[in-house]
Amino acid sequence: MNKKINIWQLTPPQILVLGFAVIIFIGAGLLMLPIASATGQSMSFIDALFTSVSATCVTGLVVVDTGSAYTTFGQIVIVSLIQIGGLGFMTMATLVAFVFRKKITLKERLVLQEALNQGSMEGIVRLIRKVIIYSLSIEAVAAVIFTIRFSFDFGFTRGLYYGIWHAVSMFNNAGFDLFGTVDAPFVSLTGYVGDFVVNFVAMMLIILGGIGFIVISDLIEFKSTKKLSLHSRVVLSMSGLLLVIGALGIFIFEFTNIRTLGSLDFGAKILSSFFQSTAARTAGPNTVDISALRQASQFLIVILMFIGASPGSTGGGIKTTTFTILISAIITMIRGKEDIVIFRYRLAKDRILKAITLSMMALFLVIIVTMILSTTEDSSFIKILFEVTSAFGTVGLTMGLTPELSTLGKVLICLTMFAGRLGTITLAYALQPKQEKELFRYPEGKITIG
């Protein structure tokens, strides 16, 4: 006699994977409807699926231009997927539970803990409330500013629509935009390269969405607590350092490149450099042509995309905290010390092992997908590497390869975006069989290293 599978018998990682997969296929189904396409004809399943994966995984890589290929209905479906994918479907489900005064069960708290990458369930529901309030508040303020600015270009009605749509997209680090047309698709924010208001608001949204909700909560409560957690201090310091290094590198490499920064005035050069450095941290919009950048700049962006945002955020990548632990481990080893110490706190060995595991799994994923696409796609290596890293980091920056991908290429990029959003370790936990406790330990062995 067959037993029905109870979803709540699944582990939290399995529930997350299944939940995101269900949302993706529902989104693909909606985008395949003729009412979603600007041509009035159903979009192919693979293109609809790719767009749905990209939106739900808050990436921004697209095979068709969002502004010109989709109707208002299709665009609303996409921005809804972005909001659900950015905050997490469990967060949205909790919002519904709050509205209907439904009690959050222990199993649901475990899934929320996994979704927000928290070490314990303590205060998880309170954190979810903060996530919802902070997110909607930040998006609302940005939407008002964007609406005022875009109203000068498109009129109030369209300006309001664009303001709300792009506030949601930018805060969730999605990289989708509506500025493309039939004659000029995939333009992103290149028309606003020197616009301080659009650039500054977009950067603030990307940064706030990328540092994570725990850090935002710490910053808001700093006035009363007068202290920041170790996590927040690491995230803020490393995020700031990477932002400055990225901007400085792009500024130097592209200063004389007439196709990117070379034709801009000095102020616009600085603004654009900081914007591209910010966007490389899992956001996706661009104010200059990414394919026109020099290879040094493109490779620098690949590194920034691989590192990505911070834990508990809307972004992807191996995360700033993981990168900090790796750098600290190298410094500790070189100095001959035993413990990794950050801001006068010693890190536990399991944190270090998790950081190394996550980084190596991410590196293997990027390498394997890049190697496969190098044989299936007719394009340069840097272009393929850039696209794969952008997919893994859920960034959305592109050198123009995505619309040219083969069906196999699209499937592989979809899987890479999915792995990047959920995390390689979460996927591994979801796919592995039930763990059994080891009843013995093997004798210690020694291997020569170096």
Side-chain angles (χ1 to χ4, degrees):
M1 185 175 178
N2 294 329
K3 293 183 178 180
K4 289 184 178 180
I5 297 175
N6 186 348
I7 186 173
W8 294 111
Q9 291 179 345
L10 301 175
T11 64
Q14 289 172 336
I15 292 173
L16 282 179
V17 171
L18 180 61
F20 269 94
V22 169
I23 292 167
I24 285 169
F25 280 104
I26 291 174
L30 292 173
L31 292 175
M32 286 180 66
L33 297 175
I35 192 177
S37 175
T39 62
Q41 298 178 343
S42 297
M43 185 171 290
S44 68
F45 172 72
I46 186 63
D47 287 350
L49 179 66
F50 191 100
T51 303
S52 184
V53 172
S54 186
T56 308
C57 296
V58 290
T59 305
L61 292 175
V62 291
V63 288
V64 293
D65 181 66
T66 309
S68 59
Y70 293 100
T71 61
T72 301
F73 173 81
Q75 293 167 1
I76 291 175
V77 169
I78 291 171
V79 81
S80 300
L81 292 173
I82 290 171
Q83 186 73 286
I84 295 171
L87 298 185
F89 78 94
M90 280 304 299
T91 302
M92 301 302 292
T94 305
L95 173 60
V96 175
F98 288 157
V99 171
F100 290 99
R101 298 179 181 272
K102 179 181 177 294
K103 188 177 179 180
I104 309 300
T105 65
L106 176 62
K107 186 70 175 185
E108 290 167 340
R109 291 169 191 261
L110 286 169
V111 179
L112 288 170
Q113 176 191 341
E114 181 70 27
L116 292 176
N117 198 18
Q118 296 299 292
S120 70
M121 286 190 299
E122 184 181 357
I124 194 70
V125 175
R126 187 168 61 253
L127 177 60
I128 289 296
R129 285 196 183 97
K130 291 179 180 179
V131 167
I132 296 169
I133 294 171
Y134 296 161
S135 300
L136 297 181
S137 298
I138 292 169
E139 288 174 353
V141 172
V144 171
I145 300 174
F146 272 153
T147 297
I148 295 172
R149 175 61 189 87
F150 293 146
S151 292
F152 288 101
D153 296 334
F154 308 108
F156 177 75
T157 303
R158 194 175 173 194
L160 176 63
Y161 176 62
Y162 274 31
I164 296 172
W165 207 98
H166 290 95
V168 173
S169 179
M170 299 297 174
F171 177 71
N172 288 288
N173 282 210
F176 281 84
D177 70 271
L178 301 177
F179 297 108
T181 63
V182 175
D183 297 325
F186 311 111
V187 295
S188 193
L189 295 177
T190 52
Y192 295 93
V193 62
D195 191 303
F196 178 79
V197 173
V198 173
N199 278 256
F200 180 76
V201 174
M203 284 192 289
M204 289 306 300
L205 284 171
I206 293 166
I207 291 171
L208 289 172
I211 60 177
F213 301 109
I214 303 169
V215 179
I216 294 175
S217 179
D218 267 7
L219 290 174
I220 290 175
E221 296 175 1
F222 180 75
K223 189 175 181 179
S224 58
T225 61
K226 302 297 181 184
K227 65 178 182 179
L228 292 173
S229 65
L230 174 62
H231 171 82
S232 296
R233 290 160 72 182
V234 170
V235 167
L236 291 172
S237 57
M238 182 53 70
S239 296
L241 181 63
L242 291 172
L243 175 62
V244 172
I245 290 175
L248 185 61
I250 293 171
F251 182 82
I252 293 171
F253 296 143
E254 300 300 318
F255 191 85
T256 58
N257 186 350
I258 196 67
R259 298 173 62 196
T260 54
L261 303 187
S263 59
L264 305 176
D265 60 55
F266 190 77
K269 282 184 170 71
I270 295 176
L271 186 63
S272 185
S273 297
F274 271 98
F275 187 89
Q276 294 314 137
S277 179
T278 303
R281 307 291 310 293
T282 84
N286 56 284
T287 56
V288 296
D289 184 2
I290 299 299
S291 63
L293 293 172
R294 289 179 173 138
Q295 287 195 359
S297 299
Q298 292 169 345
F299 192 68
L300 173 61
I301 291 176
V302 165
I303 296 172
L304 293 175
M305 292 192 299
F306 185 77
I307 297 171
S310 302
S313 72
T314 58
I318 64 171
K319 304 297 192 294
T320 52
T321 49
T322 302
F323 184 66
T324 301
I325 292 174
L326 294 179
I327 296 298
S328 299
I330 294 172
I331 295 173
T332 300
M333 181 63 69
I334 291 175
R335 293 175 63 188
K337 302 290 185 180
E338 184 176 347
D339 294 326
I340 296 178
V341 178
I342 301 175
F343 289 117
R344 298 186 179 181
Y345 284 93
R346 174 175 54 85
L347 295 185
K349 290 288 191 291
D350 67 309
R351 298 291 89 190
I352 301 165
L353 288 175
K354 186 173 182 179
I356 294 172
T357 302
L358 190 154
S359 301
M360 293 306 297
M361 290 177 69
L363 184 61
F364 288 151
L365 174 65
V366 171
I367 289 174
I368 291 171
V369 176
T370 301
M371 289 175 67
I372 295 174
L373 291 183
S374 293
T375 61
T376 63
E377 311 301 317
D378 184 18
S379 189
S380 64
F381 176 77
I382 185 66
K383 206 170 182 180
I384 294 172
L385 175 64
F386 192 99
E387 216 79 5
V388 173
T389 310
S390 180
F392 166 74
T394 67
V395 182
L397 288 175
T398 177
M399 292 175 63
L401 176 62
T402 302
E404 303 170 0
L405 288 171
S406 63
T407 300
L408 176 60
K410 291 175 183 177
V411 171
L412 285 174
I413 292 296
C414 280
L415 293 175
T416 306
M417 290 189 287
F418 191 70
R421 176 64 183 95
L422 288 167
T424 50
I425 290 182
T426 298
L427 277 178
Y429 285 161
L431 297 174
Q432 72 178 359
K434 188 175 180 180
Q435 288 181 318
E436 295 183 2
K437 187 176 180 180
E438 291 185 349
L439 302 178
F440 61 91
R441 295 181 70 187
Y442 292 97
E444 184 178 289
K446 293 185 178 180
I447 299 176
T448 302
I449 298 175

